[in-house]
Amino acid sequence: MGRTYMEKRKNIEVVAAVIIRHGKVFATQRGYGEWKDWWEFPGGKREDGEDLREALKREIREELDSEVTVGELLTTVEYNYPTFHLTMHCFLCSLTGGCLTLLEHEAARWLAPDELHEVKWLPADIGVIDLLAERGRLP
């Protein structure tokens, strides 16, 4: 018997940093690929066997030449894109070193709670934005 569509779908696991400073959240704009120009939380793919928090620290060093302290797990998003299934672990983070140099993204913004819906977020990130907005203010 053949495999179902969902069984054939590629699974991708990523980590994302919800970096908050002075009541604003840091957002980055993709500069490449199918989702170019859409906004997201910085982060990336977890390597096989890598601890989630260590993966996030590595990704922030690679993408932003910065260091973060990884705090609590805010949420894990499960989202079905047309060609893959995404599992995205989103952690609250604080910047501890570096100056958020864009090495892979084309733009970045610090967004206040009332500005969160001003950018075009990737579909998987919208649930995280809604969660932050529900809190009424950023931690």
Side-chain angles (χ1 to χ4, degrees), residues 34-71:
E34 177 184 358
W35 299 94
K36 183 183 183 319
D37 296 329
W38 290 61
W39 289 76
E40 65 185 347
F41 294 103
K45 291 180 185 171
R46 173 185 178 195
E47 294 176 359
D48 286 341
E50 189 174 30
D51 175 79
L52 292 173
R53 286 175 165 79
E54 291 305 314
L56 188 51
K57 289 178 184 181
R58 175 186 51 76
E59 284 291 341
I60 297 304
R61 280 192 299 272
E62 291 174 2
E63 290 185 6
L64 299 169
D65 194 27
S66 297
E67 299 293 328
V68 291
T69 296
V70 180

Side-chain angles (χ1 to χ4, degrees), residues 101-115:
T101 304
L102 299 181
L103 301 176
E104 295 184 14
H105 295 91
E106 67 181 44
R109 284 182 64 184
W110 285 99
L111 299 169
D114 61 344
E115 299 170 323

Side-chain angles (χ1 to χ4, degrees), residues 13 24 44 48 96 116 123-124:
E13 184 177 25
K24 294 184 177 185
D48 286 341
T96 57
L116 291 174

Side-chain angles (χ1 to χ4, degrees), residues 6-139:
M6 288 303 291
E7 290 170 335
K8 293 178 188 175
R9 186 177 292 209
K10 181 178 173 183
N11 291 308
I12 297 176
E13 184 177 25
V14 299
V15 289
V18 180
I19 303 170
I20 296 173
R21 183 173 67 185
H22 306 302
K24 294 184 177 185
V25 65
F26 188 71
T28 54
Q29 186 178 31
R30 291 179 69 92
Y32 57 90
E34 177 184 358
W35 299 94
K36 183 183 183 319
D37 296 329
W38 290 61
W39 289 76
E40 65 185 347
F41 294 103
K45 291 180 185 171
R46 173 185 178 195
E47 294 176 359
D48 286 341
E50 189 174 30
D51 175 79
L52 292 173
R53 286 175 165 79
E54 291 305 314
L56 188 51
K57 289 178 184 181
R58 175 186 51 76
E59 284 291 341
I60 297 304
R61 280 192 299 272
E62 291 174 2
E63 290 185 6
L64 299 169
D65 194 27
S66 297
E67 299 293 328
V68 291
T69 296
V70 180
E72 75 175 271
L73 177 67
L74 178 64
T75 189
T76 295
V77 175
E78 300 285 345
Y79 190 86
N80 288 317
Y81 281 94
T83 58
F84 63 94
H85 176 81
L86 180 75
T87 300
M88 179 172 64
H89 307 283
C90 303
F91 290 88
L92 291 174
C93 295
S94 57
L95 187 64
T96 57
C99 58
L100 297 172
T101 304
L102 299 181
L103 301 176
E104 295 184 14
H105 295 91
E106 67 181 44
R109 284 182 64 184
W110 285 99
L111 299 169
D114 61 344
E115 299 170 323
L116 291 174
H117 293 286
E118 290 182 4
V119 300
K120 187 176 183 179
W121 289 96
L122 284 168
D125 292 63
I126 292 171
V128 181
I129 293 306
D130 292 343
L131 179 63
L132 291 171
E134 284 173 18
R135 292 182 168 200
R137 66 179 201 46
L138 300 173

